[in-house]
Amino acid sequence: MSESREKARRRMRELVDAISHHDTKYYVEDNPEISDFEYDQLVQELNDLEATFPDLVLPDSPTQRVSGKALEEFPQVEHKVAMLSLGNSYSPEELKEFDARVRKWLGEEKVEYVVELKIDGLGIALLYEDGELTRGATRGDGKVGEEVTQNIKTIRSIPLRLRPDSGLRTIEVRGEVYMPTEGLRRLNKDREQRGEPLFANPRNAAAGSVRQLDPKIAASRPLEAFFYTLGYSKESMPKTHEACIEAMKQAGLRVSPHTRKFDSIDKVLGHISSWESKRDDLGYEIDGMVVKVNSLAQQLKLGYTAKEPRWAIAFKYPPKQMTTRLIDIQVQVGRTGALTPVAVLEPVQVGGVTVTHATLHNEDEVKRKGLMIGDHVLIERAGEVIPQVVKAIVDRRTGKEREFRMPQTCPVCGSKAVREEDEAVRRCVNASCPAQVKERLTHFTSRGAMDIEGVGPSLIDQLVEKGLVSDAADLYALRKEQLLELEGFAEKSSQNVLDAVNSSRGREFDRVLYALGIRHVGKTTATVLAEAMRNLDRIQSATEEELSRIEGIGQVVAEAIRDFMDNPKNHALLGRLRKAGLRMELEKKASGPLSGKTFLFTGELSSMPRPEAEALVQSLGGKISRGVTKALDYLVVGKDPGSKLAKAKSLGMTILDEKAFLEMVGKK
Ligand code: IVH
């Protein structure tokens, strides 16, 4: 081998190891050591070397995560040790019966339980041979699964190689691939725009993605994984489940930070009930908790029934799926005129909430699901995702069901409703349609936009019906005597509304932009746009091409902004809003008491959700850091902190508990 080749080979090995180390830090431990920029430089250098020496590309190179052609079908794999299922329990009594069975079987022995989250995804088994990921398979029917190695490799939180310094080399591990709720929301939004069928829940989405024949598609899906079973280890096997989890963690496999150990079933029950409400804030779905006997020797003694282990059981939370009847399908008109079919349901309790309506997205979705009015339907409420109709229970049809027809005219104003070619959505063409006007105003005054307290849907209804308001600028011209004429309004309530409208004039420019309700311009895009262009004049005069060059703004968004600005009605509206005193340029950030200081949060705060705390820091001029880096000034520590705490301690950073943080921001 020539000297330069040898040098390149060595450098490629170094780079692959370094990138894999930083991947673990970022994707597995959520605790990066370098900036995105520095990381990108490593990847770039590796890319360049691989382009020059294609025959030296290492099999565990991160560039090989997406490789190989689309398959015709997945090869079948027989699991060496069957992947069994879990028995279920639904009440504290059933869990106590499980505990009694375990104790009876084990006699006088002391029993410890490990309790884990039951992640609602797709069970998988991975094989690492001599430290290298060689096979990934789905659970299948437990005996035979499908080999999905190519797709598994695209998941960034799954290491291609185990950490060389860990004790594990040749192992089989089991875990769950899942899709975070936000990832599913985005994926479904994209699919809706393209007129593709939507995923009803994160489990279907994860399963559908892992079982994609084309690894490029799997790679584009936001999948993550947690591992919870060390099934086999050639080198050495720990003595407890807890130690197995720790060994997997040391090897670089992502394990849940929420696993806990208890010495009595009552403590287990306390823990489980405390998670029932917390589960909605996880960012991914769990359908229960799993209780496992900690000692592997005891697990062996307890053994298995035909289907499931005697040493573990699932505790299921109330289901988020229920059947009910589809009483009617109504059609709502949104602020862009989009006609959305909405399912009117016989009220039903789902996961502790009464559900009466569910979105049906668009006419194609109703057709695809074959829904008829009067059908019994299966509905699901998953995480923060709004209730969805999963399917009709066709067997329960009586013949009295009616077909649904999407109206060709707007149900509110009677104007034509048109469906553009290659669009899934039908829209009312009348921009002055009262439904559109009301929706636009509701968006304008909403909390994330101009935040005009007291001006919600019911007042807006009245204002529009009485002809007092037909666009946002009209709000700023409202007079007290007009409000006094409305139902339920007296001197004080009218003054409150006027005050709220008045004080909204000072909102930042990015909020004004968001409040306008330009298609595809959500909060983040509005901020990006405001920061890049600084003022309205520049946005109004920018070409589509200039707009699409802004990082974070693509072609579709640029086109939507241009469309909005080119509409003479909107032009006039912006002029009137400017006259009303709204900010049409970005102010220099008032330097707040936290200005120049960087914060990072770990663990749960009891006084407010984390995003609120982060927004609070930013509103006071502070910044939020992505990881424990040298630039960090304060680590704020809540309950159950993650690994960031140890790292910050080792770097001698200032650590604030929640109380100290609240004092600093003047909340105590
Ligand atoms: S242990 C023999 N632990 O739930 C032990 N399973 O309903 C089998 N699951 O097939 C699995 N989170 O796909 C275990 N912490 C966890 C889990 C978990 C999710 C899934 C797994 C299993 C299914 C059983």
Side-chain angles (χ1 to χ4, degrees), residues 84-86 116-119 123 139 176 228 290 292 309:
L84 294 182
S85 177
L86 286 170
E116 296 171 353
L117 306 188
K118 187 169 185 306
I119 298 135
R139 174 172 179 271
E176 204 83 357
Y228 46 70
V290 185
K292 299 174 178 172

Side-chain angles (χ1 to χ4, degrees), residues 189 335 443 446-451 509-515 517-518 520-531 615:
K189 209 171 143 202
R335 71 168 197 262
H443 172 75
S446 68
R447 193 170 288 168
M450 298 303 273
D451 193 11
F509 177 49
D510 54 343
R511 283 210 184 207
V512 177
L513 270 180
Y514 169 61
I518 305 170
H520 303 303
V521 178
K523 253 196 197 146
T524 319
T525 310
T527 307
V528 166
L529 189 61
E531 273 169 9

Side-chain angles (χ1 to χ4, degrees), residues 235-293:
E235 287 73 30
S236 70
M237 197 66 188
K239 297 218 167 355
T240 62
H241 180 63
E242 190 187 25
C244 287
I245 301 270
E246 183 55 30
M248 289 195 283
K249 186 173 169 191
Q250 292 308 323
L253 292 159
R254 189 159 178 259
V255 300
S256 166
H258 303 297
T259 299
R260 296 286 179 277
K261 188 175 75 178
F262 300 95
D263 58 9
S264 80
I265 202 71
D266 287 329
K267 288 182 193 157
V268 167
L269 280 166
H271 179 69
I272 288 179
S273 83
S274 79
W275 265 97
E276 179 157 6
S277 55
K278 284 196 283 190
R279 67 172 168 154
D280 282 339
D281 304 324
L282 270 171
Y284 50 87
E285 279 289 298
I286 59 171
D287 58 342
M289 305 288 268
V290 185
V291 183
K292 299 174 178 172
V293 169

Side-chain angles (χ1 to χ4, degrees), residues 279-491:
R279 67 172 168 154
D280 282 339
D281 304 324
L282 270 171
Y284 50 87
E285 279 289 298
I286 59 171
D287 58 342
M289 305 288 268
V290 185
V291 183
K292 299 174 178 172
V293 169
N294 189 27
S295 149
L296 298 195
Q298 289 182 338
Q299 289 188 2
L300 206 65
K301 272 193 205 163
L302 286 157
Y304 297 82
T305 69
K307 288 198 317 241
E308 43 201 51
R310 287 198 196 88
W311 46 265
I313 193 164
F315 182 94
K316 295 289 237 14
Y317 289 126
K320 291 192 168 184
Q321 277 197 346
M322 274 313 213
T323 52
T324 185
R325 236 170 52 93
L326 176 61
I327 309 172
D328 195 7
I329 297 181
Q330 289 176 349
V331 175
Q332 286 181 356
V333 185
R335 71 168 197 262
T336 57
L339 267 51
T340 308
V342 175
V344 183
L345 304 164
E346 218 155 72
V348 61
Q349 286 276 325
V350 190
V353 171
T354 308
V355 174
T356 53
H357 292 85
T359 174
L360 294 169
H361 302 282
N362 56 53
E363 51 190 299
D364 289 353
E365 191 70 9
V366 180
K367 233 184 249 157
R368 221 164 359 229
K369 289 188 172 144
L371 300 179
M372 292 179 78
I373 297 166
D375 265 342
H376 282 88
V377 289
L378 181 66
I379 65 159
E380 165 148 3
R381 194 180 67 87
E384 306 99 89
V385 180
I386 27 179
Q388 311 268 324
V389 176
V390 182
K391 61 174 184 188
I393 319 282
V394 179
D395 287 351
R396 292 184 67 177
R397 283 203 177 136
T398 60
K400 290 204 180 123
E401 294 74 16
R402 280 187 292 128
E403 213 173 294
F404 166 73
R405 284 263 173 98
M406 190 72 173
Q408 310 292 302
T409 54
C410 171
V412 175
C413 71
S415 305
K416 243 207 269 164
V418 178
R419 184 172 168 179
E420 302 278 346
E421 227 179 290
D422 66 77
E423 269 228 20
V425 172
R426 188 173 288 281
R427 285 176 208 282
C428 160
V429 294
N430 172 18
S432 328
C433 163
Q436 287 190 48
V437 170
K438 285 178 192 171
E439 288 297 323
R440 278 201 294 270
L441 285 165
T442 306
H443 172 75
F444 186 85
T445 60
S446 68
R447 193 170 288 168
M450 298 303 273
D451 193 11
I452 309 184
E453 216 187 308
V455 187
S458 71
L459 175 56
I460 289 173
D461 264 2
Q462 288 204 62
L463 292 172
V464 175
E465 308 276 308
K466 290 243 153 59
L468 292 174
V469 170
S470 62
D471 65 25
D474 291 342
L475 289 172
Y476 294 94
L478 276 175
R479 281 172 289 120
K480 196 185 277 176
E481 54 275 24
Q482 293 175 316
L483 289 168
L484 282 170
E485 276 173 28
L486 302 179
E487 211 175 296
F489 275 81
E491 176 65 29

